[in-house]
């Protein structure tokens, strides 16, 4: 089937970024409207792509391919697989909400929106590209604008410095500004360097003179090589997914970023890392993956617990949410490490669920911070009396965070722990469940401390309910959270054939084809029951 | 006649130089000579265009060989010359209003020498061309000695002389060392023809010759541990000239190195490959690490240039046609990128009176276009996608890996990440600081055009590298993939050899 839908989804933000660059500096509304139009096109495009994907046929659809560098075998090729639709939708929703959340930006709008759009074009590109080198290109495009976005519009210098990175920073006398932005960028680019080394090896050892992922999947790599390369991809991509102990950029980066950037970074960008580990690392290097999954899973379990534990001891609101992201991304990696259909479905579903939830968190935190002028949780209290709407949405996000049934977070965590149990990794499920329990403690504690109790103290003068475009992000994201929680089949019907397709390549003995379960409606995965008895 | 035709590019450049000399001498003393810079730019651009129309392939007496490889390098030098002429036209006229003609004359002669180098197939010819390129550069480095830039520290007044002297002393020493090495080659093979030298068995003295040539070339290219002059010279000489100095002679040096090592001594790679690899790692490591603490951006770009040479040497060490093509591609990318970076720095420094990080403070608000150009150049130097530097690094590392130099590639990638740190720091000054009292940089038409050309090349080739990649590969094939050279030259009997 030939269509240009995927090109449109990826191209719209890129084109809009170009237009924004040439708009006059004082055309504030024009810049915003252009960005919003592009975001809307991409969002609608992703919905159309999701609806248009033939779930029964599965596989790759809407294929487009244009030669980029034939001598190297690089093609700008897009295709939608089962995972692509939900992840495109996630990105579309987050950028739509993110543009609206940035509506009140005050300085240097032009550069801000241009960078935001370039970044999101990169994210869309990663999710649909079928060429390893182009995958890497889009990945870099998605990561790099972050440096400027956090450095210019964030509070990058206000981050407390600690650890080896801070000592290296001081040793080289590189100044005191933009610490967090630099830390984030450098750690992610070290990861990129590892990825690039692995890509070279994959390309040259395959001997097909092509970066096409489909062809590389068929290549036979030596077991030893796979065992060497897999950690490079796992830690390279994993640094973006917040894999312990390479997660330390994440709290600093998220805490210092402006609202919409935090939304995008925690909501979408971290998923690129996990997506890369699964799509490139595990699928291309099945033997390496099987060799390393015990470690991957164990580290992911540490992520879940350690992230939750750190979040519990924070008092800065943004740090709490940032550490909760570290914890929740651990759930994604845990699901990936199970190498079971349930685990992988849960991992991808968690990407979407956590993306939406954390995007909502950061949007709300931004609202609170703008009004309270502080992020110190102990100082707050009783805000719900003034901003009941914000309080309600925040509580909803909390419920999803702790995995309350009926919210998207429950579906994914349930699937992941089910997968871990089925794979026989009982030891992973325990810290995982424990992590969910600790999550309940810290999110409920934070909600109570901020919103409930007697009315706010007199130090807060500017508290008021959200208004205008500020509502957009919470409403859009909140609806998604409930929709995917109550009716997960919207996404799972897509994710499942995708997981099945890729898992067949990773697990030697073909797993019982999960697609059959779903179409017959008798699967344990279709939580809301099938359409057949 | 055919032999002259193969040499037409260097001849044309020399011809322009002679015309320029005559015009300069014959014009009345008080007349404005500002337009000479424009004349040079136009003439070089015309010759550049001519390389697409006139076929200069063939050999001249076996000492010079035209063909795709030579032409590719000549185009590179000519493009560098055009950008340098455009970028320097105002600066030269302002700093040394009475000596404009000589400046361009020296640059043209240097360019003529460069245009001879990639085709040189004979050692004496090669070293003469090398010196023709090098000597005018010493003059140019000292050119601004009496005219310190406005507002600069009076204690730094002698910097240009110091820069030139350092460059001259190391340059002269390196020439002597190179010559000595070449003499040993000649003794080994009994001829100065490069195509024959490679077929001779490598004697211990020939090996010593390799070491000498490598050291001599190392000085010229600024490889570690022969790099000391680079940052000092870059800091002292006038910035538009440094823009030229930092790329064109380096490319010429790589052309000479390729001629001697790839074309001539390719069969003895086992002897020089590891040494070159070691120098590459040292250059990448020292260049990137020492760039970190620099406070003067010219010195920073100097050290960054040393690191870039290290990446290039990885590719040269791979010693095959594919990697030679990628070397050429990298050089093209580096030429536009580095010249652009220096020219932006020049514009910013003129407005702020310093060359430190703070000279770029708030550039994004003072001059958004200039800041965006700087971002493109810095990202290209760092090797970030969608600007040409990414493809350059990708290709040379891929080529080197393909040739089995996995360790070098991994070292290169890791060190490139360190490099990112200081490139981002420069970007940070331009984008994340407030301009304070700094003014908007004022740029003449020439400088604008020069920066524009560089941006166009860096971004254009970044988006669409394919034609240049294919061209570079074809050029390298013409150098290296050929039937074994016919050994018709009389070889000295073995008994006479060392």
């Amino acid at each position: 089937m030939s269509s240009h839908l995927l090109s449109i989804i990826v191209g719209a933000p890129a084109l809009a970024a170009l237009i924004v660059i040439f708009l006059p500096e004082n055309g504030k509304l024009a810049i915003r409207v252009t960005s919003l139009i592009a975001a809307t096109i991409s969002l609608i495009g992703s919905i159309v792509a999701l609806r248009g994907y033939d779930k029964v046929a599965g596989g790759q659809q809407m294929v487009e391919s244009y030669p980029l560098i034939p001598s190297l075998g690089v093609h700008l090729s897009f295709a939608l697989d089962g995972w692509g639709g939900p992840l495109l939708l996630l990105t579309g929703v987050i950028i739509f909400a993110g543009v609206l959340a940035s509506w009140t930006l005050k300085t240097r709008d032009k550069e801000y929106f241009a960078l935001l759009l370039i970044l999101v074009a990169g994210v869309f590109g990663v999710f649909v590209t079928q060429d390893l080198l182009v995958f890497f290109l889009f990945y870099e495009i998605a990561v790099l604008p972050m440096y400027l976005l956090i450095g210019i519009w964030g509070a990058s210098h206000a981050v407390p410095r600690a650890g080896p990175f801070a000592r290296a920073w001081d040793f080289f006398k590189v100044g005191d500004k933009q610490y967090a932005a630099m830390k984030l960028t450098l750690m992610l680019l070290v990861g990129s360097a590892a990825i690039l080394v692995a890509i070279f090896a994959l390309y040259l050892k395959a001997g097909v003179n092509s970066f096409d992922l489909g062809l590389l999947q068929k290549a036979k790599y030596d077991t030893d090589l796979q065992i060497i390369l897999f950690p490079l991809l796992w830690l390279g991509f994993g640094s973006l997914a917040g894999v312990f102990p390479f997660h330390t950029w994440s709290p600093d980066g998220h805490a210092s970023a402006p609202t919409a950037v935090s939304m995008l970074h925690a909501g979408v960008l971290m998923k690129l890392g996990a997506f890369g580990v699964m799509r490139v690392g595990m699928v291309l290097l099945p033997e390496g993956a099987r060799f390393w999954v015990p470690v991957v899973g164990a580290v992911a379990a540490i992520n879940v617990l350690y992230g939750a534990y750190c979040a519990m001891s924070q008092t800065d609101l943004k740090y709490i949410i940032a550490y909760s992201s570290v914890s929740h991304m651990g759930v994604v990696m845990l699901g990936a490490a199970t190498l079971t259909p349930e685990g992988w479905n849960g991992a991808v579903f968690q990407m979407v669920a956590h993306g939406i939830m954390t995007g909502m968190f950061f949007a709300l935190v931004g609202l609170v911070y703008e009004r309270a002028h502080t992020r110190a949780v102990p100082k707050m209290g009783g805000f719900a009396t003034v901003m009941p709407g914000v309080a309600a949405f925040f509580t909803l996000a909390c419920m999803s965070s702790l995995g309350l049934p009926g919210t998207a977070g429950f579906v994914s965590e349930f699937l992941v722990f089910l997968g871990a149990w089925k794979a026989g990794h009982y030891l992973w499920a325990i810290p995982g469940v424990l992590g969910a329990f600790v999550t309940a403690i810290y999110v409920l504690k934070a909600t109570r401390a901020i919103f409930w109790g007697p009315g706010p103290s007199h130090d807060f003068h500017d508290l008021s309910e959200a208004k205008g475009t500020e509502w957009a992000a919470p409403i859009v994201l909140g609806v998604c959270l409930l929709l995917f929680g109550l009716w997960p089949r919207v996404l799972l019907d897509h994710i499942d054939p995708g997981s099945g397709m890729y898992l067949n390549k990773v697990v030697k003995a073909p797993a019982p084809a999960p697609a059959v379960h779903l179409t017959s409606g008798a699967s344990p995965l279709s939580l809301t029951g099938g359409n057949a008895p | 006649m055919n032999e002259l035709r193969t040499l037409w590019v260097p001849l044309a450049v020399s011809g322009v130089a002679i015309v320029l000399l005559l015009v300069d001498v014959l014009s009345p003393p008080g007349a404005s000579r500002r337009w000479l810079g424009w004349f040079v730019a136009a003439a070089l651009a015309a010759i550049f265009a001519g390389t697409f129309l006139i076929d200069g392939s063939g050999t001249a007496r076996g000492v010079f060989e035209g063909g795709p490889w030579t032409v590719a390098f000549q185009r590179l030098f000519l493009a560098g010359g055009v950008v340098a002429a455009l970028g320097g036209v105002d600066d030269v006229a302002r700093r040394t209003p009475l000596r404009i003609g000589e400046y361009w004359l020296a640059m043209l002669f240097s360019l003529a020498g460069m245009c001879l180098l990639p085709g040189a197939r004979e050692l004496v010819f090669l070293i003469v061309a090398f010196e023709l390129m090098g000597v005018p550069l010493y003059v140019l480095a000292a050119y601004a000695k009496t005219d310190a830039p406005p507002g600069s520290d009076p204690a730094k007044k002698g910097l240009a002389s110091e820069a030139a002297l350092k460059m001259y002393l190391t340059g002269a020493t390196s020439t002597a060392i190179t010559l000595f090495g070449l003499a040993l080659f000649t003794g080994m093979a009994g001829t100065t023809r490069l195509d024959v030298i490679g077929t001779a068995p490598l004697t211990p003295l020939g090996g010593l010759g390799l070491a000498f040539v490598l050291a001599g070339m190392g000085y010229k290219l600024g490889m570690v541990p022969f790099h000391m002059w680079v940052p000092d010279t870059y800091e002292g000489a006038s910035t538009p000239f440094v823009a030229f100095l930092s790329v064109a002679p380096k490319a010429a040096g790589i052309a000479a190195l390729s001629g001697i090592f790839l074309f001539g001594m390719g069969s003895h790679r086992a002897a020089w490959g590891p040494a070159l690899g070691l120098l590459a790692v040292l250059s990448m490591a020292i260049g990137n690490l020492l760039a970190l603490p620099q406070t003067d951006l010219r010195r920073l770009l100097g050290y960054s240039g040393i690191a870039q040479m290290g990446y290039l040497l990885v590719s040269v060490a791979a010693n095959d046609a594919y990697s030679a093509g990628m070397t050429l591609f990298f050089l093209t990318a580096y030429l536009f990128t580095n010249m652009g970076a220096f020219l932006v720095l020049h514009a910013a420094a003129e407005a702020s009176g310093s060359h430190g990080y703070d000279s770029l403070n708030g550039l994004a608000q003072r001059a958004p276009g200039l800041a965006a150009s700087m971002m493109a150049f810095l990202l290209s130097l760092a090797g970030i996608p969608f600007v040409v530097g990414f493809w350059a690094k990708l290709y040379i590392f891929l080529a080197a890996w393909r040739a089995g130099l996995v360790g070098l590639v991994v070292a290169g990638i890791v060190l490139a990440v360190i490099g990112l740190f200081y490139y981002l720091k420069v970007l940070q000054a331009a984008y994340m600081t407030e301009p304070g009292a700094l003014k908007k940089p004022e740029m003449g038409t020439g400088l604008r055009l020069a920066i524009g050309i560089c941006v166009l090349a860096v971004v254009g080739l970044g988006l669409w590298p394919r034609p240049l990649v294919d061209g570079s590969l074809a050029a390298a094939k013409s150098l290296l993939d050929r039937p074994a050279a016919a050994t018709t030259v009389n070889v000295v009997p073995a008994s006479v050899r060392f």
Side-chain angles (χ1 to χ4, degrees):
Chain A
M1 188 176 102
S2 145
S3 87
H4 297 292
L5 183 60
L6 299 177
S7 298
I8 293 169
I9 295 174
V10 179
L15 186 69
L18 203 65
I19 295 173
V20 165
I21 289 172
F22 288 104
L23 284 174
E25 182 71 45
N26 53 7
K28 288 183 180 297
L29 189 66
I31 291 169
R32 285 165 172 72
V33 169
T34 312
S35 310
L36 189 63
I37 289 174
T40 314
I41 292 175
S42 290
L43 176 59
I44 293 175
S46 350
I47 295 171
V48 172
L50 192 76
R51 305 264 318 159
Y53 182 81
D54 186 342
K55 291 169 284 195
V56 180
Q60 296 183 334
Q61 300 175 16
M62 306 181 202
V63 180
E64 297 173 51
S65 183
Y66 316 97
L68 204 60
I69 309 170
S71 60
L72 267 189
V74 181
H75 286 72
L76 185 64
S77 56
F78 297 137
L80 196 70
D81 54 29
W83 292 352
L87 293 172
L88 284 184
L89 181 67
L90 165 72
T91 316
V93 169
I94 295 282
I95 183 62
F96 182 75
V99 168
L100 287 171
S102 314
W103 210 261
T104 51
L105 188 82
K106 290 184 183 66
T107 52
R108 296 167 78 177
D109 315 35
K110 204 166 103 167
E111 291 154 293
Y112 177 88
F113 281 100
L115 286 169
L116 205 62
L117 290 167
I118 291 173
L119 181 153
V120 90
V123 177
F124 278 125
V126 169
F127 287 143
V128 293
T129 185
Q130 299 300 323
D131 185 287
L132 185 55
L133 191 72
V134 177
F135 186 100
F136 182 74
L137 292 185
F138 278 124
Y139 180 84
E140 292 293 292
I141 294 282
V143 167
L144 278 163
M146 223 23 114
Y147 175 67
L148 291 173
L149 282 170
I150 295 180
I152 300 178
W153 292 275
S156 187
H157 53 280
V159 164
R161 288 195 224 158
F165 187 87
R167 278 200 289 282
W169 178 271
D170 291 335
F171 177 77
F172 284 113
K173 299 194 179 50
V174 286
D176 53 359
K177 288 178 191 153
Q178 287 78 39
Y179 168 75
M182 188 70 100
K183 181 175 182 177
L184 176 147
T185 313
L186 283 179
M187 286 189 75
L188 297 186
L189 288 173
V190 170
S192 299
I195 297 168
L196 197 59
V197 171
I199 288 180
F200 280 175
L202 288 172
Y203 171 68
L204 290 173
K205 292 286 175 189
V208 288
N209 193 35
S210 170
F211 280 101
D212 186 85
L213 281 168
L215 286 177
L216 292 180
Q217 273 165 25
K218 294 195 188 95
K220 183 78 192 80
Y221 298 109
D222 297 341
T223 309
D224 289 347
L225 182 77
Q226 297 203 19
I227 289 172
I228 295 168
L229 289 185
F230 183 78
L232 289 180
L233 288 172
W234 169 45
L235 295 177
F237 284 118
S239 64
L240 181 55
V243 164
F244 179 88
F246 302 106
H247 66 282
T248 57
W249 58 268
S250 143
D252 290 346
H254 291 159
S256 59
T259 300
V261 176
S262 299
M263 287 169 68
L264 268 166
H265 204 290
V268 186
L269 249 79
M270 290 179 88
K271 278 71 197 172
L272 293 188
F275 182 74
V277 174
M278 293 167 81
R279 177 74 181 87
V280 178
M282 291 183 165
V283 173
L284 291 190
L285 300 169
E287 288 175 46
R290 286 204 298 274
F291 180 85
W292 283 101
V293 279
V295 182
V296 177
V299 171
I302 295 176
N303 251 47
V304 176
L305 261 187
Y306 177 81
Y309 175 76
C310 286
M312 198 160 63
S313 53
Q314 296 296 325
T315 54
D316 182 312
L317 185 50
K318 269 200 160 180
Y319 271 97
I320 296 178
I321 310 300
Y323 273 111
S324 89
S325 288
V326 174
S327 168
H328 284 112
M329 286 309 291
V331 175
V332 176
M333 296 306 295
L334 195 64
T338 61
L339 298 185
T340 58
E342 291 84 1
W344 276 36
N345 286 343
V348 178
F349 199 93
Q350 171 78 342
M351 290 188 207
V352 180
H354 172 250
I356 288 172
M357 176 199 85
T358 206
M360 191 160 151
F361 261 134
F362 277 115
L364 294 167
V365 168
L367 287 181
V368 171
Y369 176 64
E370 262 178 37
R371 286 160 174 73
H373 309 295
T374 177
R375 299 197 309 245
V377 173
K379 290 190 193 160
M380 305 179 188
F383 286 8
T385 51
V386 195
M387 38 173 96
V390 173
F393 280 112
F394 195 91
T395 313
L396 173 63
C398 285
M399 293 306 136
S400 180
S401 184
L402 58 85
L404 189 79
T407 59
F410 169 73
V411 181
S412 46
E413 293 194 2
F414 179 78
L415 283 173
V416 167
F417 300 143
L418 188 68
W421 200 266
K422 271 194 153 182
H425 297 295
Y426 312 115
L427 283 177
W428 296 352
I430 294 165
V433 175
L434 214 60
F437 171 67
V438 179
T439 306
I441 299 177
Y442 69 79
V443 291
L444 292 176
K445 212 176 85 180
T447 320
R448 185 188 52 79
I450 301 166
F451 291 105
W452 311 113
S457 74
H458 296 296
D459 302 339
F460 300 105
H461 307 292
D462 304 338
L463 294 184
S464 62
E465 183 67 300
K467 55 185 176 295
T469 50
E470 290 172 344
W471 278 119
I475 291 178
V476 171
L477 297 174
V479 166
C480 289
L481 214 52
L482 284 175
L483 173 72
F484 299 149
L486 294 171
W487 196 33
R489 283 196 56 182
V490 184
L491 299 183
L492 273 179
D493 281 3
H494 287 84
I495 295 172
D496 198 47
S499 304
M501 178 171 88
Y502 291 128
L503 208 54
N504 275 338
K505 291 176 177 135
V506 183
V507 183
K508 214 172 233 162
V516 179
H517 292 305
L518 268 186
T519 42
S520 67
S523 161
L525 304 186
S526 48
L527 293 164
T528 51
N531 43 10
Chain B
M1 201 54 218
N2 238 354
E3 301 194 334
L4 278 185
R5 209 177 140 107
T6 61
L7 285 165
W8 82 270
V9 174
L11 285 177
V13 174
S14 314
V16 175
I18 291 167
V19 171
L20 184 103
L21 179 66
L22 289 177
V23 169
D24 187 35
V25 171
L26 296 179
S27 315
S32 164
R33 285 171 170 75
R34 195 189 173 82
W35 59 278
L36 285 177
W38 288 101
F39 167 70
V40 170
L44 292 179
I47 299 174
F48 182 84
T51 57
F52 290 94
L53 304 172
I54 301 171
D55 175 27
S57 53
T59 61
R61 314 239 156 178
V63 298
F64 183 87
E65 186 181 340
W69 175 258
T70 309
V71 173
F73 267 100
Q74 286 171 343
R75 282 183 193 142
L76 202 62
F77 302 138
L78 291 168
V82 172
V83 174
L86 290 173
V89 64
D90 291 320
D91 190 59
V92 174
R94 201 173 49 74
R95 278 176 183 244
T96 52
L98 302 177
R99 295 182 278 134
I100 296 175
E102 289 96 317
Y103 182 92
W104 298 118
L105 195 65
M107 182 168 277
L108 284 172
F109 278 128
S110 180
L111 264 177
M114 289 175 196
C115 289
L116 287 171
L117 270 176
R121 297 288 175 266
E122 200 265 350
L123 296 179
V124 178
F125 184 79
L126 187 135
I127 200 74
V128 170
F130 212 91
E131 285 310 284
L132 177 57
M133 169 195 90
V135 174
L137 294 177
Y138 309 142
V139 180
L140 289 173
Y143 216 71
K145 73 174 165 44
T146 50
D147 321 58
S152 66
D153 184 358
K156 291 193 170 180
K157 228 172 181 173
L159 271 183
S161 311
E162 185 193 330
L165 194 63
K166 273 184 182 153
M167 192 183 157
Y168 170 69
L169 288 177
T170 50
T173 316
S174 74
T175 305
I177 295 173
T178 312
L179 263 173
F180 194 56
L182 295 182
L184 290 176
F185 284 174
T186 314
M188 174 183 84
T191 172
T192 52
R193 290 268 305 260
L194 272 169
D195 50 352
V196 185
I197 287 176
T199 60
L202 192 67
T203 60
L205 274 179
L208 193 62
L210 274 176
F212 276 126
V213 173
L214 199 57
M217 289 285 163
Y219 270 112
K220 302 272 180 191
L221 287 172
M223 305 175 198
V224 175
F226 315 111
H227 64 285
M228 308 291 186
W229 64 274
V230 173
D232 292 348
T233 304
Y234 285 13
E235 188 186 8
S238 77
T239 314
F241 165 68
V242 172
F244 180 72
L245 177 72
S246 69
V247 291
K250 299 279 162 78
I254 291 287
L257 201 67
S258 310
I260 297 173
F261 283 85
L262 300 186
F263 177 80
M265 310 295 278
S267 51
H268 301 313
R269 183 196 163 197
W272 56 263
L276 202 60
L278 181 69
L279 291 185
V281 172
L282 281 178
S283 300
M284 292 187 292
I286 302 286
N288 277 321
L289 287 175
L290 287 191
L292 284 176
Q294 299 303 323
T295 52
D296 186 307
L297 291 182
R298 291 169 298 183
R299 293 185 73 86
L300 183 139
L301 284 177
Y303 279 108
S304 117
I306 292 167
Q308 303 280 346
M309 280 303 120
Y311 305 134
L312 261 173
L313 292 184
V314 171
S315 173
V316 176
N319 186 38
D320 56 24
Y322 187 80
S323 55
M326 291 319 144
T327 308
L328 190 54
F329 179 72
F330 189 99
L331 277 172
T332 316
Y334 180 60
L335 180 116
F336 290 111
T337 307
N338 218 40
M339 286 196 96
F342 266 113
L343 291 176
V344 173
L345 179 59
H346 171 62
E350 290 290 303
S352 64
S354 92
H355 284 90
Y357 280 104
D358 50 354
S359 68
L360 292 176
N361 275 357
L363 194 66
Q365 278 134 294
R366 288 187 283 150
L370 202 61
S373 316
M374 194 60 173
M375 173 149 76
F377 300 138
L378 289 169
L379 293 183
S380 181
L381 282 173
I384 302 298
F386 291 94
V387 275
V388 68
F390 169 74
W391 297 108
K393 277 217 183 73
L394 179 84
Y395 273 118
I396 58 167
F397 286 148
L398 208 53
W401 190 306
R402 193 173 271 184
L405 305 178
V406 178
L408 282 184
V409 173
V410 172
I413 292 178
V414 170
L415 290 167
V417 174
I418 296 178
L420 225 100
F421 201 2
Y422 54 86
Y423 294 128
L424 288 182
K425 258 179 76 190
V426 180
L427 203 60
Q428 173 180 310
Y431 272 87
M432 300 178 196
T433 44
E434 293 302 315
L438 291 177
K439 294 189 299 289
K440 184 181 162 76
E442 285 172 17
M443 292 180 285
T445 320
L447 191 56
R448 273 171 201 278
L449 261 177
I451 295 176
I453 292 174
C454 292
V455 171
L456 210 64
V458 167
V459 177
L461 290 173
L463 293 172
W464 195 239
R466 186 173 147 191
L468 187 64
V469 170
D470 292 347
S472 304
L473 279 178
K477 274 211 173 67
S478 79
L479 177 75
L480 293 176
D481 284 0
R482 59 170 77 208
T487 51
T488 50
V489 181
N490 289 327
V491 176
V492 181
S495 56
V496 187
R497 285 188 205 154
F498 289 87

